[in-house]
């Protein structure tokens, strides 16, 4: 049904001069669907999120969110950035960072009426509850651990009650325990609110239990499908145009023969 289509790209092309990141991309993401976006650096994964955020225009084709043309600052979209540390002396509290997700899309200084302020406070509290982060409300973000800070960033993305959650490598630089925690919190949101999730990652294994489909991008080529359809030796060899072996060990995917970003062959768990 069209009513449950949250994001849609049709005939989408993104190119910078002669360099084509992807072309003829058709992707429909439905309510409650968890789509992992995989592939090496420089293949347009983050650029895809920027297109959906209205920060970058397609070279050709169409894109909509909630059946409407994309626009920058839409409250219908939540965005979780890569994990990165902040200055230790930063005094902004957790609840202040979350609040930016409620009204940070507005331009200039915002003067809230009493009723508006109550609505904002309620939205911040609701978002903190959804990530089990109420205890972090008054904690300065400069002293938070990586896992705590990423939990607050997820709450920030949820403050406007989005229909689409875009996650740009949110597990980067997190230890395995916090990577599992962040993945589970994002999955919890999509199950409870039927929010669609587009999750850019180098590491498919932590989100494997939650993923419905995979979009795999390599050098202008792509494949969309269920994990077991895309994560195969035949499919990845075709995408990389090289001999790639995919082995599933203990429920985890190991990719052998994939080149790293320096052009050297590697063998590792998929990342």
């Amino acid at each position: 049904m069209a009513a449950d289509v949250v994001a849609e790209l049709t005939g989408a092309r993104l190119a910078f001069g002669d360099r084509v990141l992807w072309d003829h991309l058709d992707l429909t993401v439905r309510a409650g669907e968890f789509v992992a976006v995989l592939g090496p650096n420089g293949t347009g994964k983050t650029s895809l999120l920027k297109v959906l955020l209205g920060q970058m225009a397609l070279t050709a084709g169409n894109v909509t969110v909630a059946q409407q043309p994309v626009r920058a600052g839409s409250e219908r979209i939540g965005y979780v950035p890569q994990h990165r540390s902040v200055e230790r002396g930063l005094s902004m509290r957790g609840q202040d960072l979350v609040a930016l997700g409620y009204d940070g899309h507005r331009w200039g200084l915002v003067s809230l009426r009493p009723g508006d302020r109550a609505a904002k406070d309620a939205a911040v509290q609701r978002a903190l509850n959804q990530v089990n982060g109420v205890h972090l409300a008054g904690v300065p973000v400069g002293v938070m651990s990586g896992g705590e800070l990423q939990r607050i960033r997820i709450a920030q993305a949820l403050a406007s009650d989005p229909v689409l959650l875009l996650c740009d490598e949110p597990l980067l630089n997190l230890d395995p325990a916090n990577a599992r925690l962040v993945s589970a919190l994002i999955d919890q949101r999509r199950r409870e609110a039927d929010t669609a999730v587009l999750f850019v990652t180098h590491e498919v294994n932590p989100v494997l239990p939650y993923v419905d489909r995979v979009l795999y991008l390599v050098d202008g080529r792509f494949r969309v499908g269920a994990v077991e359809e895309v994560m195969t030796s035949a499919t990845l060899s075709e995408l990389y145009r090289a001999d790639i072996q995919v082995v599933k060990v203990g429920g985890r995917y190991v990719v052998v023969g994939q080149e790293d970003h320096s052009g050297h062959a590697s063998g590792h768990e998929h990342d």
Side-chain angles (χ1 to χ4, degrees), residues 115-132:
D116 294 334
R117 185 170 297 280
K120 175 180 175 178
D121 291 344
V124 169
Q125 183 71 19
R126 193 162 50 243
L128 286 168
N129 275 324
Q130 288 182 55
V131 301
N132 304 320

Side-chain angles (χ1 to χ4, degrees), residues 12-16 19-23 25 37-49 51 56 168-169 200-202 215-223 239-240 258-261 270-271:
R13 173 185 175 91
L14 188 64
F16 300 97
R19 182 167 174 251
V20 179
L21 291 181
W22 24 267
D23 197 6
L25 175 59
V37 184
L38 306 174
N41 284 344
T43 54
K45 302 187 301 295
T46 295
S47 295
L48 174 63
L49 301 191
V51 166
M56 187 177 287
D168 189 7
E169 298 194 32
V200 170
T201 180
H202 275 88
L215 166 62
Y216 207 119
L217 301 165
V218 181
D219 295 335
R221 297 174 293 280
F222 62 87
R223 185 66 60 88
L239 285 173
Y240 280 94
Q258 178 180 326
E259 290 189 347
D260 68 19
H261 313 311
H270 184 266
D271 57 23

Side-chain angles (χ1 to χ4, degrees), residues 187-203:
D187 178 66
Q188 177 180 305
R189 164 66 191 199
R190 71 95 174 230
R191 286 185 287 104
E192 292 179 350
D194 219 20
T195 306
V197 175
L198 213 57
F199 194 105
V200 170
T201 180
H202 275 88
E203 185 74 48

